[in-house]
Amino acid sequence: MNTKVLFLVACLSTSFLGFSQRGVRIGYVDMEYILENVEEYREASEQLNAKAAKWKQEIELKQSTIEQMKKDLMAEKVLLTDELIAEREEEIQILEKEMLDYQQDRFGPQGDLVLQKQLLIQPIQDQVFNEVQKIGANKRYDFIFDKSADVVMLYSEKRHDISDLVLREIARTRKVSKSNKDKKLKNRLEEFQAEEAEADQEISEALQERQQKAADAKDTKKKAAEEKRAEALRLREERKKAYEERRKKLLEEREAKRKAKLEERKKDQEKEKDSTNQ
């Protein structure tokens, strides 16, 4: 990659000398961005990804079957003859080889996934190349680069991006969707807003829970205070009642003693009177 960059810098430096009088027009295209917006490619890519997921599941199932066979063999090994053990091990090896071959056929460098991706991309890449040639000639560009290629672009001005221009030309023959960049930004904004709403909801629920706990604690405290007050009033009434009863009893006792003294004094007076009369 460094060699490519140095070669590119050398070419540009040489070319700039030739174009120094009129200025150099440079543009670039973002192939990934273009592919994302070609609906034909995106739909086919989604179908291919679904196929790849199915292939992966099949490989995982094969792997699981082999692992189970190995476990079964280990568990039954003491009960089997050497001949049967060898047969089972050979069967496992065959299945392992079949699984690895299948994995290579599907996901290897020359596998179905790579080849089908290339088949999807190649026609669009060819069309992009043709459109870039036309745009370059008509708009008098000196250089047009592919941003997603091996050439490292350390910085690029948006005004040099002609990807949307290429998409408009492609749209003459293929169905092209609206820019996914705005959709992604909108989706990210919606996700952020949803996350914020969820966070607000959690905070609100936590606040409500805290407020409810505080209200419950307040009610409990108030109820305890009321119960304590009621108990104090009850005890006061009981003490008051006991005091009244003791006071009443004391008064009754005093009254009884007073009457007894009066009665005794009366009897003494009567005795004195009788003795005087005699």
Side-chain angles (χ1 to χ4, degrees):
M1 184 178 292
N2 290 335
T3 305
K4 289 184 179 180
V5 174
L6 291 173
F7 177 73
L8 177 62
V9 171
C11 290
L12 287 175
S13 300
T14 305
S15 301
F16 287 161
L17 295 174
F19 295 119
S20 58
Q21 292 182 351
R22 67 173 180 84
V24 180
R25 292 203 69 189
I26 299 175
Y28 69 89
V29 294
D30 188 343
M31 182 60 73
E32 291 180 1
Y33 168 69
I34 292 172
L35 290 174
E36 285 177 0
N37 285 277
V38 177
E39 293 191 9
E40 176 186 340
Y41 170 80
R42 190 169 63 247
E43 291 171 1
S45 183
E46 289 173 358
Q47 293 175 3
L48 182 57
N49 289 336
K51 280 185 182 180
K54 185 178 178 182
W55 295 338
K56 187 177 179 182
Q57 287 178 353
E58 291 174 357
I59 292 170
E60 289 174 351
L61 181 60
K62 291 176 186 291
Q63 181 67 39
S64 177
T65 302
I66 292 169
E67 291 298 326
Q68 188 59 48
M69 290 177 69
K70 287 181 178 180
K71 289 179 181 178
D72 293 343
L73 178 58
M74 288 296 294
E76 300 169 7
K77 212 166 189 178
V78 293
L79 305 174
L80 301 174
T81 63
D82 292 341
E83 185 178 353
L84 288 174
I85 292 172
E87 287 179 3
R88 297 272 287 273
E89 288 177 344
E90 184 180 359
E91 183 182 2
I92 290 171
Q93 289 175 359
I94 291 170
L95 290 175
E96 282 183 330
K97 186 177 184 306
E98 289 178 354
M99 182 195 70
L100 292 173
D101 290 343
Y102 182 79
Q103 187 174 14
Q104 194 70 10
D105 290 341
R106 295 301 192 188
F107 297 102
Q110 301 297 323
D112 294 337
L113 183 62
V114 174
L115 293 176
Q116 290 189 33
K117 273 189 176 180
Q118 188 61 36
L119 287 174
L120 284 176
I121 295 173
Q122 192 62 50
I124 301 172
Q125 283 181 328
D126 292 343
Q127 189 172 3
V128 169
F129 178 78
N130 293 332
E131 297 301 338
V132 166
Q133 299 301 310
K134 294 177 185 176
I135 292 169
N138 294 334
K139 303 290 184 179
R140 301 189 66 186
Y141 279 96
D142 298 306
F143 302 98
I144 297 177
F145 303 105
D146 180 2
K147 185 179 180 181
S148 56
D150 288 341
V151 175
V152 179
M153 297 183 69
L154 300 178
Y155 176 76
S156 58
E157 280 279 358
K158 178 63 182 172
R159 60 191 175 88
H160 297 309
D161 187 356
I162 63 170
S163 301
D164 287 321
L165 185 59
V166 174
L167 275 173
R168 281 201 296 271
E169 296 300 323
I170 292 176
R172 299 175 186 273
T173 56
R174 297 179 187 272
K175 191 174 181 181
V176 174
S177 62
K178 194 177 178 181
S179 173
N180 273 339
K181 290 182 179 178
D182 294 337
K183 290 181 182 178
K184 286 181 178 178
L185 184 61
K186 184 179 179 182
N187 291 340
R188 181 62 194 127
L189 179 60
E190 290 175 352
E191 288 176 6
F192 175 75
Q193 290 173 341
E195 290 171 0
E196 286 291 303
E198 185 177 354
D200 290 342
Q201 180 67 21
E202 290 177 358
I203 293 171
S204 177
E205 289 175 357
L207 182 60
Q208 288 177 1
E209 184 180 357
R210 188 181 301 171
Q211 289 174 342
Q212 185 62 43
K213 286 182 178 179
D216 292 343
K218 186 177 180 181
D219 291 341
T220 302
K221 189 176 180 180
K222 183 179 178 182
K223 186 177 179 181
E226 289 176 352
E227 289 176 352
K228 187 176 180 180
R229 183 182 176 190
E231 181 67 13
L233 289 173
R234 185 183 65 79
L235 292 173
R236 186 186 300 173
E237 289 297 324
E238 287 181 356
R239 286 195 296 269
K240 184 178 179 182
K241 186 177 179 180
Y243 171 76
E244 291 293 336
E245 288 177 353
R246 286 197 303 271
R247 184 171 179 274
K248 182 180 178 182
K249 186 177 180 180
L250 182 61
L251 290 173
E252 288 175 351
E253 288 176 353
R254 285 181 181 176
E255 183 65 20
K257 287 180 180 179
R258 188 181 68 80
K259 286 181 178 180
K261 284 183 179 180
L262 288 174
E263 188 66 29
E264 186 178 353
R265 187 181 298 172
K266 185 178 180 181
K267 287 180 180 179
D268 290 342
Q269 288 176 352
E270 287 178 352
K271 284 181 181 180
E272 288 178 1
K273 185 177 180 181
D274 289 340
S275 62
T276 302
N277 290 333
Q278 290 178 358

